Structures are given as structure tokens and as C-alpha cells.
Amino acid sequence: MDVLLEIKNLRKYFPVRGGFIEGSKGIVKAVDGVNLEVTRGETLGLVGESGCGKTTLGRMILRLEAPTEGEIFFEGENVLGYNGERLKKFRRDVQMVFQDPYASLNPRRSAGSTIGEPFLVHGLADAREREERVARLMGIVGLTREQMRRYPHEFSGGQRQRIGVARALALNPKIIVADEPVSALDVSIQAQILNLLKDLQAEFGLTYIFISHDLSVVEHMSDRVAVMYLGKIVELANSKVLYETPLHPYTKVLFSAIPVPDPARKKERIITGGDVPSPVNPPPGCTFHPRCPYRIERCNREVPALLEISKGHFVACHLYG
């Protein structure tokens, strides 16, 4: 197994400030002790409710956020020690496709200028070669050379996201972190972008970390899936295994909410009690226990470890192991 990226005990805590007089009011544990391995060429899906820490984890992998604690290894080297030219080189290998295809583009820059900027920053091509490379990238993602001079407001949402994908591809990265890349798009356009990402992965041997709250999209895209809840990974498994036999109560709750396209088929919905706990003051023990329909007394006081229940299937729950 060729491990490309390894995350060890990664944490990110944000201080909550109450103003000049009140000072700090606590911390938000956005990511709280995550361990992950990503193998070369795979797509790892990250799912969970809004606020579970998916995006923060992705931003730390790209060094856009500094971890509070932990290590990130890329091809065996700890990237948290990188700075200057080493950090610049690392960012050629790890790129991001952002959620909002409009906000992630500079409205004052043309599509060609946006896609060509990575070449300029890294000094990889002169003006003429840069234009040729941009035109090729636009063709790869389904845009035309004539659209190079257009500005973001002149494109549709799907076309803007294609520009974002082309920009991410410009430096031939090894990993692309796709943060909700289709959530802002119409359903028909979502399918086009998802198919484009799969085609590009096959053509260029890309590795994806695919972040989404849409469970059906994650199932379609991912080889393995990690389920996050309040900053922790509660279940990790092969995509097919996870969707057929979810183990963690939170995973079961999520999957029970997936809409069924057949109106004649009835699906049992698992209803949780209580509200989502505040990340500023999470409950002791298993953070899901106040909402869990299967909780036992041990859940109230002990944090469950993420254990391998069967080959490649990890779960953090006191009901197992």
C-alpha cells in the first residue's frame, strides 16, 4: 500500500472571544485528534454534518490553517516543518477545489489569467508558453480557448467550477482536496463536474480527498469514506462496505436520511433525540451519546477509541470491540 499522505493526532482549536472586557470564553475543538492515511490514486470521502470539522481538516492539509497539535506527513516528510521554497514546492503537489465557484475566483481577472497564475507564481513558463498551457487546460475541463478573455460573471456556475478545476490541475498536483465542489451547482451540472473529476483522476493518476455532506455523491466518488462528528472520525471503511453495513450509530442515522428514489419503497428513518452539542462545550465520553438511541452507561464517561473491527473497517463506539 503506497501511502501518500498520513495524518497523526491532528487537532485544531479556535479560541472563542467575548470582547475586550470578557476576553476568551473558551475554545472550539474543530478537529480533535484525527488519524488518517490516504493512499496514492484513491478517493477518500469525508462526510458529516455542517460544523463537524471536514473543511478545517482539508485546509490544514494544504497548510492554509496551522494545526494546534499533530503531524502531517506527505511522501514520508512532515510538511509542518516546511517554509519558504520547500512550502512553495509542497503547494505544487497539493491543490484545492473550493466550494463556491464564484467566491473562489477573482472577479477582476479573466479565466485565462486565473488558470495561468500558478505558472506565473512558480516561474514555470514564459507568456507564450503560459497561454498555450492555459488553452490546453481549458480544453481538458470542457472550456474553449475563446473563453480565456472572459471574466467570472460571464460564465455559468458549472463553467466557473471548471475554471477552478483547471487552476487546481495547472501544476500537475498529486493530491486535490475537493471541498464540497458541487454543492452550489444545479443537479444536472453536478453530474458533469463529478464525471469530469473521475475522468481526470483516471487520466492523471490523481488522489482526491472529497469533502461533502451529500452522502449519495460521496458513495459515487469514493473508494473509502471517513465519517466525522464534532471534530473526530467515528467510522472509516471501504465505501461499499460502509454503505451496506454501517456500524456506528451516527453513521446509521446519516444513512437512514438518504432519500430513496422509489416512492413505493419504504425506508426506516432513525430519529435521534436532543440537539447537536456545542463544539465549545462538548459532552464527556462519546460526544454522540446525548443523541444516540443505542447508548450504554459507559458512553457517558469514556471516549471510544477508533478500533479496527474487521479488515479495513474502523469504528469508534463502545458497542463494538
Short mmCIF file of all heavy atoms in Angstrom, two decimals, residues 55-83:
data_model
loop_
_atom_site.label_atom_id
_atom_site.label_comp_id
_atom_site.label_asym_id
_atom_site.label_seq_id
_atom_site.Cartn_x
_atom_site.Cartn_y
_atom_site.Cartn_z
N THR A 55 -13.99 20.72 6.55
CA THR A 55 -13.28 21.75 5.80
C THR A 55 -12.01 22.18 6.54
O THR A 55 -10.97 22.39 5.91
CB THR A 55 -14.19 22.97 5.56
OG1 THR A 55 -15.28 22.56 4.72
CG2 THR A 55 -13.43 24.10 4.89
N THR A 56 -12.07 22.31 7.86
CA THR A 56 -10.88 22.68 8.63
C THR A 56 -9.78 21.65 8.44
O THR A 56 -8.60 22.00 8.28
CB THR A 56 -11.24 22.82 10.12
OG1 THR A 56 -12.26 23.79 10.28
CG2 THR A 56 -10.01 23.24 10.93
N LEU A 57 -10.14 20.38 8.42
CA LEU A 57 -9.17 19.32 8.19
C LEU A 57 -8.53 19.47 6.81
O LEU A 57 -7.31 19.39 6.66
CB LEU A 57 -9.84 17.95 8.32
CG LEU A 57 -8.96 16.72 8.07
CD1 LEU A 57 -7.76 16.69 9.02
CD2 LEU A 57 -9.78 15.44 8.21
N GLY A 58 -9.36 19.73 5.80
CA GLY A 58 -8.84 19.92 4.45
C GLY A 58 -7.90 21.11 4.36
O GLY A 58 -6.86 21.06 3.70
N ARG A 59 -8.24 22.21 5.02
CA ARG A 59 -7.42 23.42 4.99
C ARG A 59 -6.09 23.21 5.72
O ARG A 59 -5.07 23.78 5.33
CB ARG A 59 -8.18 24.59 5.58
CG ARG A 59 -9.35 25.06 4.71
CD ARG A 59 -10.13 26.17 5.38
NE ARG A 59 -9.34 27.38 5.55
CZ ARG A 59 -9.17 28.32 4.64
NH1 ARG A 59 -9.74 28.20 3.45
NH2 ARG A 59 -8.43 29.39 4.89
N MET A 60 -6.08 22.38 6.76
CA MET A 60 -4.82 22.09 7.44
C MET A 60 -3.90 21.25 6.56
O MET A 60 -2.68 21.43 6.58
CB MET A 60 -5.09 21.38 8.77
CG MET A 60 -5.56 22.31 9.87
SD MET A 60 -5.47 21.56 11.52
CE MET A 60 -6.82 20.38 11.42
N ILE A 61 -4.48 20.32 5.79
CA ILE A 61 -3.67 19.51 4.89
C ILE A 61 -2.94 20.39 3.88
O ILE A 61 -1.78 20.15 3.54
CB ILE A 61 -4.55 18.46 4.17
CG1 ILE A 61 -5.03 17.40 5.17
CG2 ILE A 61 -3.81 17.80 3.01
CD1 ILE A 61 -6.12 16.49 4.64
N LEU A 62 -3.60 21.46 3.44
CA LEU A 62 -2.99 22.38 2.49
C LEU A 62 -2.12 23.46 3.14
O LEU A 62 -1.60 24.32 2.46
CB LEU A 62 -4.08 23.08 1.65
CG LEU A 62 -4.53 22.33 0.41
CD1 LEU A 62 -5.63 21.33 0.73
CD2 LEU A 62 -5.00 23.29 -0.66
N ARG A 63 -2.00 23.41 4.46
CA ARG A 63 -1.26 24.41 5.23
C ARG A 63 -1.91 25.79 5.14
O ARG A 63 -1.24 26.82 5.27
CB ARG A 63 0.21 24.49 4.77
CG ARG A 63 1.08 23.28 5.12
CD ARG A 63 1.47 23.26 6.58
NE ARG A 63 2.03 24.51 7.04
CZ ARG A 63 3.32 24.84 6.97
NH1 ARG A 63 4.19 23.97 6.49
NH2 ARG A 63 3.74 26.00 7.44
N LEU A 64 -3.22 25.84 4.88
CA LEU A 64 -3.94 27.11 4.93
C LEU A 64 -4.34 27.44 6.37
O LEU A 64 -4.65 28.59 6.68
CB LEU A 64 -5.18 27.05 4.04
CG LEU A 64 -4.92 26.83 2.55
CD1 LEU A 64 -6.24 26.70 1.79
CD2 LEU A 64 -4.08 27.95 1.97
N GLU A 65 -4.39 26.42 7.22
CA GLU A 65 -4.60 26.58 8.66
C GLU A 65 -3.45 25.87 9.37
O GLU A 65 -3.01 24.80 8.94
CB GLU A 65 -5.93 25.96 9.11
CG GLU A 65 -7.17 26.64 8.57
CD GLU A 65 -7.55 27.89 9.36
OE1 GLU A 65 -6.83 28.23 10.33
OE2 GLU A 65 -8.55 28.51 8.98
N ALA A 66 -2.97 26.49 10.44
CA ALA A 66 -1.90 25.86 11.22
C ALA A 66 -2.52 24.99 12.30
O ALA A 66 -3.35 25.46 13.07
CB ALA A 66 -1.02 26.93 11.85
N PRO A 67 -2.16 23.71 12.38
CA PRO A 67 -2.72 22.84 13.43
C PRO A 67 -2.32 23.30 14.83
O PRO A 67 -1.24 23.85 15.02
CB PRO A 67 -2.12 21.46 13.11
CG PRO A 67 -1.62 21.55 11.71
CD PRO A 67 -1.25 22.98 11.49
N THR A 68 -3.19 23.05 15.78
CA THR A 68 -2.86 23.27 17.18
C THR A 68 -1.90 22.19 17.67
O THR A 68 -1.02 22.44 18.49
CB THR A 68 -4.13 23.25 18.04
OG1 THR A 68 -5.05 24.23 17.53
CG2 THR A 68 -3.84 23.55 19.50
N GLU A 69 -2.06 20.99 17.12
CA GLU A 69 -1.24 19.84 17.54
C GLU A 69 -1.31 18.79 16.45
O GLU A 69 -2.26 18.74 15.68
CB GLU A 69 -1.78 19.28 18.86
CG GLU A 69 -0.97 18.18 19.49
CD GLU A 69 -1.61 17.67 20.76
OE1 GLU A 69 -2.01 18.49 21.61
OE2 GLU A 69 -1.73 16.43 20.91
N GLY A 70 -0.29 17.95 16.38
CA GLY A 70 -0.32 16.83 15.43
C GLY A 70 0.72 16.96 14.33
O GLY A 70 1.52 17.90 14.30
N GLU A 71 0.70 15.98 13.41
CA GLU A 71 1.67 15.92 12.33
C GLU A 71 0.97 15.57 11.02
O GLU A 71 -0.02 14.84 11.00
CB GLU A 71 2.73 14.85 12.64
CG GLU A 71 3.57 15.13 13.89
CD GLU A 71 4.46 13.96 14.25
OE1 GLU A 71 3.92 12.85 14.41
OE2 GLU A 71 5.67 14.16 14.33
N ILE A 72 1.52 16.11 9.92
CA ILE A 72 1.03 15.80 8.58
C ILE A 72 2.23 15.37 7.75
O ILE A 72 3.16 16.16 7.53
CB ILE A 72 0.35 17.01 7.92
CG1 ILE A 72 -0.83 17.50 8.76
CG2 ILE A 72 -0.13 16.66 6.51
CD1 ILE A 72 -1.43 18.81 8.28
N PHE A 73 2.22 14.11 7.31
CA PHE A 73 3.32 13.58 6.51
C PHE A 73 2.88 13.45 5.05
O PHE A 73 1.85 12.82 4.76
CB PHE A 73 3.78 12.22 7.03
CG PHE A 73 4.44 12.29 8.38
CD1 PHE A 73 3.68 12.16 9.54
CD2 PHE A 73 5.80 12.48 8.49
CE1 PHE A 73 4.28 12.22 10.78
CE2 PHE A 73 6.42 12.54 9.73
CZ PHE A 73 5.66 12.42 10.88
N PHE A 74 3.67 14.01 4.14
CA PHE A 74 3.42 13.89 2.70
C PHE A 74 4.64 13.21 2.08
O PHE A 74 5.75 13.72 2.19
CB PHE A 74 3.18 15.26 2.07
CG PHE A 74 2.98 15.22 0.59
CD1 PHE A 74 1.78 14.74 0.05
CD2 PHE A 74 3.97 15.63 -0.29
CE1 PHE A 74 1.59 14.68 -1.32
CE2 PHE A 74 3.78 15.59 -1.66
CZ PHE A 74 2.59 15.11 -2.18
N GLU A 75 4.43 12.04 1.50
CA GLU A 75 5.52 11.22 0.95
C GLU A 75 6.62 11.01 1.99
O GLU A 75 7.81 11.07 1.69
CB GLU A 75 6.07 11.84 -0.34
CG GLU A 75 5.04 11.87 -1.47
CD GLU A 75 5.62 12.32 -2.79
OE1 GLU A 75 6.47 13.25 -2.77
OE2 GLU A 75 5.24 11.76 -3.84
N GLY A 76 6.18 10.79 3.24
CA GLY A 76 7.11 10.45 4.31
C GLY A 76 7.75 11.61 5.04
O GLY A 76 8.48 11.40 6.02
N GLU A 77 7.49 12.85 4.61
CA GLU A 77 8.09 14.02 5.26
C GLU A 77 7.03 14.84 5.97
O GLU A 77 5.93 15.04 5.44
CB GLU A 77 8.82 14.89 4.24
CG GLU A 77 10.06 14.24 3.64
CD GLU A 77 10.86 15.23 2.82
OE1 GLU A 77 10.58 16.44 2.86
OE2 GLU A 77 11.77 14.78 2.10
N ASN A 78 7.38 15.33 7.17
CA ASN A 78 6.45 16.16 7.94
C ASN A 78 6.40 17.56 7.34
O ASN A 78 7.37 18.32 7.43
CB ASN A 78 6.88 16.23 9.40
CG ASN A 78 5.83 16.88 10.30
OD1 ASN A 78 4.87 17.49 9.82
ND2 ASN A 78 5.99 16.74 11.60
N VAL A 79 5.27 17.91 6.72
CA VAL A 79 5.17 19.18 6.00
C VAL A 79 5.00 20.37 6.94
O VAL A 79 5.12 21.52 6.50
CB VAL A 79 4.02 19.15 4.97
CG1 VAL A 79 4.20 17.99 4.00
CG2 VAL A 79 2.66 19.06 5.66
N LEU A 80 4.72 20.12 8.21
CA LEU A 80 4.53 21.23 9.14
C LEU A 80 5.85 21.96 9.42
O LEU A 80 5.84 23.08 9.93
CB LEU A 80 3.91 20.74 10.46
CG LEU A 80 2.50 20.14 10.31
CD1 LEU A 80 1.97 19.73 11.68
CD2 LEU A 80 1.55 21.13 9.65
N GLY A 81 6.96 21.33 9.07
CA GLY A 81 8.26 21.99 9.22
C GLY A 81 8.68 22.76 7.98
O GLY A 81 9.73 23.40 7.96
N TYR A 82 7.85 22.71 6.93
CA TYR A 82 8.20 23.39 5.69
C TYR A 82 8.01 24.90 5.80
O TYR A 82 7.07 25.37 6.43
CB TYR A 82 7.33 22.89 4.54
CG TYR A 82 7.64 21.49 4.03
CD1 TYR A 82 8.67 20.73 4.58
CD2 TYR A 82 6.90 20.94 2.99
CE1 TYR A 82 8.94 19.46 4.10
CE2 TYR A 82 7.16 19.67 2.51
CZ TYR A 82 8.19 18.94 3.08
OH TYR A 82 8.45 17.68 2.60
N ASN A 83 8.89 25.64 5.14
CA ASN A 83 8.68 27.07 4.93
C ASN A 83 9.45 27.49 3.67
O ASN A 83 10.21 26.70 3.11
CB ASN A 83 9.14 27.89 6.15
CG ASN A 83 10.55 27.56 6.58
OD1 ASN A 83 11.45 27.46 5.75
ND2 ASN A 83 10.75 27.35 7.88
#
